[in-house]
Amino acid sequence: MQAFFLLEQVVNGLVLGGYYLLIALGLSLIFSVGGGVNLAHGAFYALGAYLSVEIGKHLGFWPAVAISPGVVALLGVAFERLLLRRFYGADPILGLLVTFGLALVAEQAIRMLWGAAPIPAPMPPEMKGQVLVGDFMFSRYRLFLLAVVLAVLAGLWWLLQRTSFGRVVRAGIQRPDMVAALGIRLQPYMTAIVMLGVGMAALGGALFAPITNVHPAMGAEIITVAFVVVVIGGLGSFWGVVLAALLVGVVRGVTIHFAPAAGEASMYILMFLVLMLRPRGLLGERIEKFE
Amino acid sequence: MTTRRDVLKAGAAAAAALGFPAIVRTQPATIRIGHLTPLTGFLGALGDYAVMGIRLAADEINAAGGVLGRRLELISEDSVNPATATTKAQRMIERDGVEFLMGEINSASAKAIMQVAARNRKFYLQIGARSDVLRGADCNRYTFHVDIPVTVMVNAAGQALLREGLVKGKRYFSLTADYLFGHDLAKAAKAFMAANGAVHVGDDLVATDVTDFSPYLLKIRQAKPDLVATNLAGNQVTNFVKQYAEFGLPYPIAGFNLNTADAWAAGEGNLAGIWPTVWHHELDTPGSRAFVAAFRKRYGKPPENHAWISYVSLKIMAQAIAATRGTDTEKLIGYFESQAEFDLLKARKGYFRAWDHQLVQEAYPFTVKPKGQAKDKWDFLQFGAAVPAPDQPLETIYPPRSQNTCKM
């Protein structure tokens, strides 16, 4: 019986990992092309949640979940063009400071617009409740969430590996100078990647709003987890991030099973161990640009 | 009513009588008050309401001419955590020259501010933190406590649970916020449940930054309890309640702590169960109706219990300053210990017990209205009758002296 309970936690952890993935993958992508950690990533996640709640009041849940990430992705374009672009070649600390500042500004703006108190975010009634697969219990809503994550993951992989767009992006990550020498301007590609990453964060926010508290500091909460996942997986590695997200979800679930008080600490311990044994992260590659 | 002019005249007369030179040292025209409460983190939303409530009270008092002719000047700051709360409280006393301290919701930060108050011999009205130990083992003579202690919350919700038949002989699973307040609440809840014949089948600690409860929900399902009783705080309660509804677990839930703002954030259709509260906006007394109307007019939404308690706390201080003719720490302590009565906008007035400095007042249980009965998004809570019943002394729901280790 104990083994079954444990297995149930592992499966549940994989589902949870899928949700971390949505945020962490965008963070990792933006890092790969821009060379800096976008600390404002959580702010776009929070905006996605708030906008979807607001749009949902007028159009209902489903259109809101589709529209909100689109709107935030466009904000992401403005963010890249006006701000992020200026820091690509610069000292990474500058990009960190600017995006951190932006995160603070965004959090305060949300506080002013919607107030400090968390706002209710309804879940569509048809998605509520549990689904029993054999003896495993799942939330119907989270199974739907998992399906969305898998679709996004497949789409992104296809985009990066199988299209000419993806080839330029990958080449740009490895050898930007070479790409430039071939006469390809990288800037539009960078804009597109930031738009995608930010849109994914907003999608995560919109999808997670009915599950968790929608409050001004939700962005700051998620950026820590997303960053831990990216570091464990290896900065810039697609499959590393996927692996790390699932691992963090599972380790957290199993820890809570045995020692609930240590649940939130488990991912930091995991990060510590991984960095001790393998400083570049699980699947991190040596990226010439950064070494 | 004493005006500022009267005070100045009296001061000038006294100085003249003693033969002081013409430059008279009078009292400053304002009374500076240091107000600390969490404005960020898992209790930030509650602190936001606290600031709204205390500002409304300050503006009302100042509009009516202040206290003893002096304006109240509030300095409200984010206390963040116990370490920052200590630094800020010390700085408010030393640099800002505040005459006394007020505030807090976080029990751990409140404990830190209590120590600063004692070190500096300044009066501290501890408003919204509920740990028993603050008015028990950790009590000090400079601090008085307004909000109900955890024992009262456990009693208020516990009596309702007893009536529903959810305690005696029932197996219950609990979740506990992993910090001072949660541990304290869990201790009081355990004592109540054990005394009334319930069987404890599990207790999991939950870190204050937990947002996903799914691993805990799986454990609850594995334990198959008759009741899930929570000792959670702030955002935790909202997250838990939302996800409990999401997973659709069949076991009844209840909790010994839930602030109205967290209930509102969970939204209609998610909240269920029996909970305690110290005050609610539908309380039908003339004072509460007037306060709710004034608050709605200014902020466009109904007040939450932390808005109410901060509002009455400043009114309590105004009454005490007027009665003692100043902000002298020893005189204030003497006044509060005299069991002077204070209007709390409730059916019964409250008073502070001299031996543990705890305000004694009514509490209320609440449940959730049946689906479709809410008038608006603030209206889905169903408030119960005050405890204790009108014919019983207020102190019956408070820990008696024999169970309290407070020594001043």
Side-chain angles (χ1 to χ4, degrees), chain B residues 180-263:
Chain B
L180 178 65
F181 167 78
H183 292 237
D184 221 23
L185 186 58
K187 205 172 120 203
K190 244 179 233 170
F192 179 90
M193 297 299 271
N196 289 287
V199 184
H200 207 181
V201 293
D203 182 31
D204 275 3
L205 290 173
V206 182
T208 55
D209 55 348
V210 165
T211 52
D212 169 64
F213 277 83
S214 57
Y216 294 100
L217 295 172
L218 294 181
K219 290 181 81 173
I220 290 172
R221 176 169 173 258
Q222 290 156 7
K224 295 186 174 52
D226 298 314
L227 173 73
V228 181
T230 66
N231 307 309
L232 301 174
N235 285 350
Q236 288 183 323
V237 194
T238 315
N239 276 327
F240 172 75
V241 161
K242 280 175 91 165
Q243 291 169 33
Y244 197 82
E246 179 204 343
F247 276 81
L249 289 176
Y251 322 109
I253 63 172
F256 298 111
N257 175 50
L258 176 60
N259 291 289
T260 325
D262 301 320

Side-chain angles (χ1 to χ4, degrees), chain B residues 23-43:
Chain B
I23 302 162
V24 180
R25 255 183 73 101
T26 54
Q27 282 190 304
T30 58
I31 297 174
R32 281 201 164 179
I33 302 167
H35 176 233
L36 285 163
T37 202
L39 294 173
T40 49
F42 76 113
L43 298 168

Side-chain angles (χ1 to χ4, degrees), chain B residues 41-64:
Chain B
F42 76 113
L43 298 168
L46 306 177
D48 202 46
Y49 274 104
V51 171
M52 287 189 246
I54 202 165
R55 277 204 192 136
L56 181 64
D59 291 350
E60 284 181 12
I61 293 166
N62 287 335

